[in-house]
Amino acid sequence: MTPFHYQDGELHAEQVPLARIAKAVGTPVYVYSAGALVGAYRRFAAALAAAGVEATICYALKANSNQAVIATFAAEGAGADVVSEGELRRALAAGVPAQKIVFAGVGKTPEEMAFALETGIHQFNVESLPELEALSAVAQRLGLVAPVALRINPDVDAKTHEKISTGKAENKFGINYDQAPAVAARCRELPGVKLVGLAVHIGSQLTDLAPYRAAFERLAALYRALAAEGHPLERLDMGGGLGIAYRDEQPPPVEAYARVVAEATRGLGARIICEPGRHLVGNAGLLLTRAVYVKRGSSRAFVIVDGAMNDLIRPTLYEAWHDIVPVAAPAGDAPVERYDIVGPICESGDFFAKQRPLPPLAAGDLIALCSAGAYGSVMASTYNTRPLVPEVLVKDRDFFVIRPRQEYATLIALDRLPPWLAEEEQVSPKRAAGGG
Ligand code: LLP
């Protein structure tokens, strides 16, 4: 289904006009479609099943960790891929069973390990020998044994943006392929860990299956070799990374991806884990923002909107393209103008698009930044003391605010004054009143 479409001249999310959400909640606001979330999950699960892959889908929370989103997937049977104690707590709060949670990430602290061990999670994806030793020590102290998958760096080029490419030897991620047998051997000596599998994740927004094929084949070969050495392997975690269409990319259909997983893992007898993030949420969300001013400079026209780089950082951080569409359907014969769509923050990097061809825009117009369901609100900050923007989930004709707009008072009250300044503050009202 297409969750966002024009109906009666207005852009809708499912059956709800976006203008109605803007009126009720204000802008900027993230809007997600429940139908699109569920649809993407079911298609992913069905593709794996059709390819004969027995898999647990551990949704990568980092893409969008609103509890309503996590709970939507949990209700479909999803597990979770988490990379911090905070994400682990969120997954649990949203109802994901601990036994379906995988803890990834290069820098887990002993405190985070202890919390995850006591929770009884499914698996730790371990990325280095020092991390393995630390995990064993923490587990031993607690009288527990940590189920471990070694994350392997297969030295494969994912051919994606350099900031989201993770599978080359020069990246910080994973255990070098050649060092893996030695680290696996160390698992036998360490009393607090049990080696149960291998994991890989070569990058995000992959639009080509060839790097996957190469990485999965290397992983499967290593799995066979380690199993032959007597390691009790039973799981393979294939990571995430399947791309979506932001513009004119043609990411492989999920069915083709599932066949690559199936072919690479055939005959291993391993239980498969997949960690999709963006693929499940990216195109299920948009950022709704309003034009505040249209400013015509000598060489360019700028549309200054109320959203900014702190709300959606992808354009400036990754040169990412997000489609931009007006909420009021343009007339069929509307002329095309080129605009820079920019936010109000005092940095030239605060832009959403440059020289973008669009129908004529005016102050007050609502516009939507598409494909913003993944790595949008989760990467937001309060730079310039701009409160975190709200999130809304639409289902059929209803919508619900799944995170209210942060209030100025809440945001500002996070700071504490040290005593020497707090005392000053106490006297200041008197001063203001002309006393003391
Ligand atoms: N598993 C691991 C170990 C990961 O590091 C990631 C993403 C995923 C799964 C999920 O990947 P996905 O299916 O979403 O591609 N902020 C960037 C993307 C960073 C991805 C980091 N790791 C962006 O906005 O493009």
Side-chain angles (χ1 to χ4, degrees), residues 128-153:
S128 67
L129 186 56
E131 184 195 340
L132 184 74
E133 293 183 340
L135 179 59
S136 179
V138 175
Q140 223 185 335
R141 176 162 56 76
L142 297 173
L144 297 166
V145 175
V148 162
L150 298 180
R151 174 168 172 185
I152 306 303
N153 184 323

Side-chain angles (χ1 to χ4, degrees), residues 60 62-63 81 83 104-105 127 151 164 166 173 201 203-205 239-242 246 275-279 314 318 374-375 379:
K62 62 171 79 67
D81 156 37
V83 290
E127 304 215 13
R151 174 168 172 185
I164 51 175
T166 53
F173 300 98
H201 173 78
S204 195
Q205 183 55 13
L242 189 58
Y246 282 94
E275 303 173 350
R278 187 191 320 263
H279 192 82
R314 302 194 70 259
Y318 312 117
Y375 306 109
M379 294 182 79

Side-chain angles (χ1 to χ4, degrees), residues 31 198 312:
V31 181
L198 300 178
L312 177 66

Side-chain angles (χ1 to χ4, degrees), residues 28 30 306-313 344-347 350 376-390 403-415:
Y30 277 97
D306 59 5
M309 64 189 276
N310 70 300
D311 305 315
L312 177 66
I313 202 171
I345 287 181
C346 324
E347 298 203 22
D350 182 24
S377 82
V378 283
M379 294 182 79
S381 77
T382 58
Y383 186 39
N384 278 205
T385 307
R386 292 169 50 86
L388 294 175
V389 304
R403 187 170 74 190
R405 190 180 305 279
Q406 190 176 32
E407 290 183 9
Y408 285 114
T410 317
L411 173 54
I412 293 166
L414 290 171
D415 303 344

